[in-house]
Amino acid sequence: MSAIIHGAGAATALTTFHSKKLVARSRTNLPGRSKRCIVASGSDDGSKSFGSSSSLSLRHSHKLIPNNAVATKVDTSATTGHELLLFEALQEGLEEEMDRDPHVCVMGEDVGHYGGSYKVTKGLADKFGDLRVLDTPICENAFTGMGIGAAMTGLRPVIEGMNMGFLLLAFNQISNNCGMLHYTSGGQFTIPVVIRGPGGVGRQLGAEHSQRLESYFQSIPGIQMVACSTPYNAKGLMKAAIRSENPVILFEHVLLYNLKEKIPDEEYICNLEEAEMVRPGEHITILTYSRMRYHVMQAAKILVNKGYDPEVIDIRSLKPFDLYTIGNSVKKTHRVLIVEECMRTGGIGASLTAAINENFHDYLDAPVMCLSSQDVPTPYAGTLEEWTVVQPAQIVTAVEQLCQ
Amino acid sequence: MALSRLSLRSTTFLKPSSLRRHVTTDTTPITIETAAPFTSHQCDPPSRSVETSSAEILSFFRDMARMRRMEIAADSLYKSKLIRGFCHLYDGQEALAVGMEAGITKKDAIITSYRDHCTFLGRGGELVDAFSELMGRMRGCSNGKGGSMHFYKKDACFYGGHGIVGAQIPLGCGLAFAQKYSKEENVSFVLYGDGAANQGQLFEALNIAALWDLPAILVCENNHYGMGTATWRSAKSPAYFKRGDYVPGLKVDGMDVLAVKQACKFAKEHALKNGPIILEMDTYRYHGHSMSDPGSTYRTRDEVSGVRQVRDPIERVRKLLLSHDIATEKELKDMEKEVRKEVDDAVAQAKESPVPEASELFTNMYVKDCGVESFGADRKELKVTLA
């Protein structure tokens, strides 16, 4: 491990990213995985329903996929796989990991006999029993703490927050115990928990059930955060998160649970720290994650018709950022638009803007623009709720503005 | 008895280098009654007669003397600014740490809050590791990164060491859950104070523990003051052992090491069969809440010295040893001198040990430090490519 003490200057920082060490590391940083895993580099177009199968061959993410149009119909006859919805993909990933490792257990409200409030844990209680799929009472602080305590001894709990917003009650446990115990114990204890749950703005769920907790958790040292957006990366990230020795918070989105996609039959895992190239392009880099990916792809359709060529990257890894993929993209396009669902203040976009400005300032032709939700509690009224989140039309306008 | 002692003295005379007396290894069981009976809630209290042995009682004395000296040494180190930040001392409560260890095995888990120096020692921690950690050196049990409130010892199932009051209770119930999951017959002792007893997460965790029959033993170390607030000012119901309601409880004289041993043994058997139980240990701390608290603004000095005269755990064991002719006054004084030397040596050794290097700032952030870039506070300095 080399300590590089820098003064100011992005140029020196870039050399770190060009180092071969980093290239190798992001591919194979999890031993044993690369042999079996099919690293998702994303060839799907991100539209809401897929008839296509995702790439089955190992692709290098630099290779440009010929982009004729945005919505490509990929030939399904040659490839195998099975089609399922995103929540089923999560369930499949969870079930496979529970089969594989008897230390994995699930705890949360109504995850067992009820089957999970979003059906992610449906059928698991019947299969694995009450000791491995635990219905907890409503006490987020306590059961998150219990999951962390169990993880200290070697169990691998998957803690479900019925809605991510409820995990605010467990913030102390997540911040102080989950994030910090590995460090303060000098490496004695590892906390291999997965904390997952749906968050984000739904359909008129009200202010308290429409929270984006990734902005609150992003400062906690010691945790990793990932956000899934397609059935393919949902299953892959769930498996990777469970196998990781670090505490991982997996952000799902309430509105994405019914996305349908064909995913491979064979086992695969997605890389936790890698961003997904959704649509390569030349003119502008659009960074997004979770539900906003779909708004961006809708906007991309319009933009392509207007003659622009946006490069869309689903950053997936919210902590740490995959600055390697992002950096290469910025070097290519020189313009960045960040589209996120977090609030303007202190969101993921704010941190990403800072990171990009700091590291890739020389490569930017225009200031980094960040489209986020408004700094208001999410209102109930449908029209108002629409105005709090970023809509495709705003994305189109922003791109046109940046590309002038 | 006098004759045997005479012959034993001659043995020591023949082997002047040996400081071990014959009687220190005497493990024939003797039964001693606890000074006070147990009060129980929703269960039958254990018997007042405690099975122990001369060797064990002598070991109690030595261990408690060591803990007491360690805390006093920590006090003077803090005043000479070698220990910084928060330092919460346990002197007065040693009987709890020592008695608990006597009643359980090293496979049973213990988790406690920030007043953890003596618990760490009881679990088999080394004095050097403790002092090094307090002074922020590499040699410390958490590599100097935890400090006074974050002592851990994984191989002895000591899970710390937690700064936030009450947060260790759900963690402890999680330990108990893992023990139940793995089907090994071990229990978890979850220690908290009278201040933490008012935390909601205690009742949340207790509910789950009782619901799922977890082998969790919640031990309330009632030293009657939550920092500056006495129990009568913070709790409507200061009968902490009854607060579990549907969970059985036991009130124990926490300054009587034999009573603590009996209670912990009883609790372990109970928890393995019937699920959680609450133990309230009536104890007292001589120092203030921490080193920055003189401890006299909310209680009188007479109270503190009164407890020291009447209830001091080490004095009680000393009286027991003398009255049962297990050791002489001189032997006990020698033992205390030995312990003092041990502690002084450890302090000296700890003072010599190096501070952590700058690169240690970023180790143990993530397991296998998965190829992540780690930034300093202003994102400009000390960027490290984590291996």
Side-chain angles (χ1 to χ4, degrees):
Chain A
M1 192 180 58
S2 50
I4 309 159
I5 302 181
H6 288 269
T12 40
L14 281 167
T15 52
T16 326
F17 289 107
H18 288 298
S19 74
K20 292 201 178 66
K21 274 199 296 187
L22 206 57
V23 175
R25 210 173 293 120
S26 69
R27 292 284 163 270
T28 59
N29 55 1
L30 292 147
R33 218 181 271 195
S34 47
K35 298 197 186 78
R36 268 181 300 144
C37 93
I38 299 166
V39 179
S41 38
S43 63
D44 41 79
D45 56 23
S47 56
K48 269 214 158 66
S49 69
F50 293 87
S52 59
S53 67
S54 27
S55 69
L56 295 178
S57 54
L58 199 64
R59 280 188 206 236
H60 200 275
S61 65
H62 295 321
K63 192 161 127 204
L64 284 182
I65 303 151
N67 54 326
N68 315 317
V70 175
T72 41
K73 266 271 183 241
V74 178
D75 160 41
T76 57
S77 53
T79 51
T80 54
H82 54 286
E83 206 172 53
L84 40 53
L85 305 174
L86 197 146
F87 75 85
E88 289 169 349
L90 287 166
Q91 188 204 11
E92 224 178 67
L94 189 49
E95 195 171 338
E96 280 174 23
E97 288 304 304
M98 288 183 80
D99 274 327
R100 179 181 173 269
D101 185 353
H103 291 102
V104 181
C105 54
V106 182
M107 47 177 78
E109 294 155 14
D110 278 325
V111 293
H113 294 273
Y114 190 83
S117 51
Y118 290 93
K119 292 182 277 195
V120 174
T121 50
K122 190 170 176 193
L124 295 181
D126 294 328
K127 182 171 175 188
F128 295 106
D130 277 339
L131 200 57
R132 288 188 74 186
V133 183
L134 299 141
D135 280 324
T136 62
I138 305 176
C139 45
E140 280 77 10
N141 198 350
F143 71 72
T144 310
M146 283 183 66
I148 295 165
M152 284 168 92
T153 66
L155 284 194
R156 307 182 87 93
V158 177
I159 302 168
E160 172 173 315
M162 190 183 271
N163 185 296
M164 271 298 189
F166 305 162
L167 289 179
L168 285 172
L169 290 159
F171 205 111
N172 176 46
Q173 297 291 348
I174 296 172
S175 166
N176 290 330
N177 294 329
C178 180
M180 300 193 192
L181 266 172
H182 185 62
Y183 190 85
T184 55
S185 67
Q188 285 180 67
F189 297 111
T190 59
I191 318 286
V193 292
V194 177
I195 299 174
R196 51 160 291 268
V201 177
R203 296 255 180 267
Q204 299 185 255
L205 297 177
E208 290 170 0
H209 293 73
S210 312
Q211 300 197 67
R212 281 77 78 192
L213 250 59
E214 55 267 23
S215 54
Y216 305 150
F217 288 148
Q218 62 175 323
S219 292
I220 300 174
I223 57 161
Q224 277 188 264
M225 305 200 306
V226 284
C228 62
S229 49
T230 65
Y232 182 84
N233 65 32
K235 179 176 174 184
L237 289 173
M238 169 74 93
K239 289 171 74 84
I242 293 175
R243 293 196 197 186
S244 167
E245 294 294 324
N246 297 308
V248 179
I249 306 186
L250 172 59
F251 290 92
E252 301 153 15
H253 199 285
V254 278
L255 292 180
L256 298 184
Y257 277 130
N258 288 322
L259 281 180
K260 197 187 278 209
E261 187 184 4
K262 202 170 206 170
I263 64 170
D265 286 330
E266 63 266 22
E267 200 184 12
Y268 70 93
I269 305 173
C270 289
N271 195 336
L272 279 178
E273 297 94 19
E274 196 181 17
E276 190 176 317
M277 178 71 72
V278 182
R279 181 194 186 280
E282 295 285 334
H283 291 164
I284 180 172
T285 302
I286 306 182
L287 302 172
T288 180
Y289 66 94
S290 194
R291 184 190 165 213
M292 287 296 118
R293 167 186 174 140
Y294 299 96
H295 280 207
V296 167
M297 290 317 291
Q298 279 178 41
K301 246 189 250 179
I302 304 172
L303 286 167
V304 163
N305 289 337
K306 289 194 176 187
Y308 295 95
D309 188 19
E311 175 156 296
V312 180
I313 296 180
D314 180 345
I315 59 173
R316 249 171 37 185
S317 171
L318 304 177
K319 185 178 168 81
F321 293 132
D322 181 5
L323 286 176
Y324 183 76
T325 311
I326 295 171
N328 285 333
S329 176
V330 173
K331 273 171 55 200
K332 187 170 59 167
T333 64
H334 311 296
R335 286 163 220 279
V336 181
L337 172 68
I338 302 171
V339 180
E340 57 154 0
E341 208 176 325
C342 276
M343 312 269 202
R344 190 100 196 79
T345 310
I348 296 288
S351 303
L352 195 50
T353 308
I356 294 172
N357 273 325
E358 162 134 340
N359 290 299
F360 309 119
H361 185 257
D362 281 352
Y363 287 84
L364 290 170
D365 283 348
V368 175
M369 197 187 266
C370 180
L371 296 177
S372 346
S373 298
Q374 305 305 315
D375 279 326
V376 293
T378 314
Y380 165 73
T383 43
L384 292 179
E385 188 185 63
E386 251 180 55
W387 292 332
T388 48
V389 269
V390 180
Q391 299 297 334
Q394 295 166 295
I395 303 173
V396 172
T397 319
V399 170
E400 289 175 334
Q401 208 179 334
L402 271 177
C403 287
Q404 264 162 10
Chain B
M1 198 59 182
L3 200 64
S4 57
R5 198 170 295 143
L6 212 60
S7 58
L8 289 160
R9 275 218 198 96
S10 55
T11 321
T12 39
F13 181 71
L14 286 170
K15 302 181 203 168
S17 57
S18 160
L19 295 164
R20 284 214 170 267
R21 279 200 43 180
H22 180 68
V23 75
T24 57
T25 54
D26 182 6
T27 51
T28 47
I30 53 180
T31 315
I32 298 179
E33 273 221 342
T34 62
F38 299 103
T39 330
S40 68
H41 168 75
Q42 303 250 14
C43 69
D44 292 321
S47 122
R48 278 174 74 177
S49 311
V50 186
E51 254 202 35
T52 177
S53 72
S54 315
E56 191 176 46
I57 306 180
L58 212 53
S59 76
F60 287 165
F61 182 84
R62 184 188 281 271
D63 291 338
M64 287 201 282
R66 189 185 294 124
M67 289 177 183
R68 178 68 60 92
R69 273 256 60 87
M70 176 178 74
E71 296 296 70
I72 293 176
D75 177 305
S76 56
L77 283 174
Y78 192 91
K79 287 180 178 143
S80 46
K81 289 211 179 349
L82 281 164
I83 301 178
R84 315 299 297 272
F86 293 125
C87 189
H88 306 90
L89 297 177
Y90 202 71
D91 54 327
Q93 298 182 216
E94 299 91 354
L96 225 159
V98 171
M100 187 178 285
E101 289 300 328
I104 63 176
T105 68
K106 286 287 188 286
K107 286 259 168 83
D108 296 313
I110 296 185
I111 189 169
T112 182
S113 61
Y114 45 78
R115 213 176 288 276
D116 56 355
H117 306 163
C118 297
T119 324
F120 171 73
L121 223 61
R123 285 265 97 177
E126 295 285 328
L127 280 167
V128 189
D129 294 341
F131 284 118
S132 306
E133 184 63 36
L134 285 172
M135 294 197 267
R137 310 294 169 102
M138 268 300 289
R139 174 79 199 265
C141 47
S142 302
N143 297 343
K145 290 204 239 185
S148 162
M149 298 189 281
H150 299 283
F151 280 25
Y152 303 92
K153 195 163 165 62
K154 185 171 185 181
D155 52 4
C157 293
F158 177 52
Y159 291 90
H162 296 274
I164 303 295
V165 166
Q168 75 275 13
I169 304 171
L171 287 184
C173 293
L175 298 173
F177 170 70
Q179 286 168 333
K180 179 166 179 153
Y181 196 96
S182 64
K183 299 196 172 38
E184 292 159 17
E185 301 271 292
N186 298 320
V187 295
S188 296
F189 281 81
V190 186
L191 278 65
Y192 59 97
D194 46 289
N198 299 314
Q199 275 266 321
Q201 45 193 330
L202 194 168
F203 299 96
E204 292 178 14
L206 201 59
N207 179 37
I208 298 187
L211 203 56
W212 294 349
D213 272 326
L214 300 181
I217 297 151
L218 275 73
V219 180
C220 178
E221 297 178 285
N222 183 4
N223 57 22
H224 302 281
Y225 294 94
M227 202 160 96
T229 311
T231 51
W232 60 269
R233 285 179 61 220
S234 66
K236 185 72 179 172
S237 155
Y240 298 103
F241 69 109
K242 285 193 186 161
R243 280 225 190 149
D245 184 27
Y246 41 84
V247 170
L250 196 67
K251 183 159 176 168
V252 185
D253 179 2
M255 305 290 253
D256 181 355
V257 63
L258 292 168
V260 173
K261 173 186 171 181
Q262 183 82 326
C264 292
K265 255 176 85 177
F266 167 76
K268 175 169 176 175
E269 284 159 21
H270 185 279
L272 284 172
K273 275 201 312 271
N274 307 330
I277 180 171
I278 300 182
L279 297 177
E280 181 187 335
M281 303 281 183
D282 191 343
T283 181
Y284 201 85
R285 54 166 164 82
Y286 298 142
H287 270 90
H289 164 74
S290 71
M291 285 306 300
S292 54
D293 170 27
S296 50
T297 53
Y298 47 88
R299 53 187 190 176
T300 59
R301 288 190 206 279
D302 288 339
E303 182 187 305
V304 182
S305 54
V307 173
R308 212 188 263 272
Q309 273 165 24
V310 177
R311 296 180 71 200
D312 185 71
I314 302 180
E315 290 310 308
R316 280 166 103 150
V317 174
R318 191 198 299 270
K319 282 189 199 136
L320 198 63
L321 289 166
L322 294 175
S323 67
H324 279 73
D325 275 335
I326 299 174
T328 61
E329 188 73 47
K330 184 178 182 307
E331 280 155 7
L332 295 180
K333 281 224 160 61
D334 285 341
M335 206 178 278
E336 283 182 307
K337 279 210 197 91
E338 273 169 39
V339 159
R340 192 177 186 140
K341 187 172 184 311
E342 244 184 274
V343 167
D344 288 341
D345 286 344
V347 170
Q349 208 181 336
K351 278 184 186 167
E352 297 295 308
S353 71
V355 288
E357 297 177 17
S359 59
E360 281 291 314
L361 181 61
F362 299 103
T363 56
N364 300 132
M365 274 294 302
Y366 295 105
V367 183
K368 293 183 219 151
D369 291 324
C370 39
V372 188
E373 278 253 324
S374 198
F375 295 94
D378 59 354
R379 290 178 144 265
K380 285 195 194 302
E381 287 186 29
L382 255 182
K383 288 177 202 165
V384 173
T385 318
L386 300 170

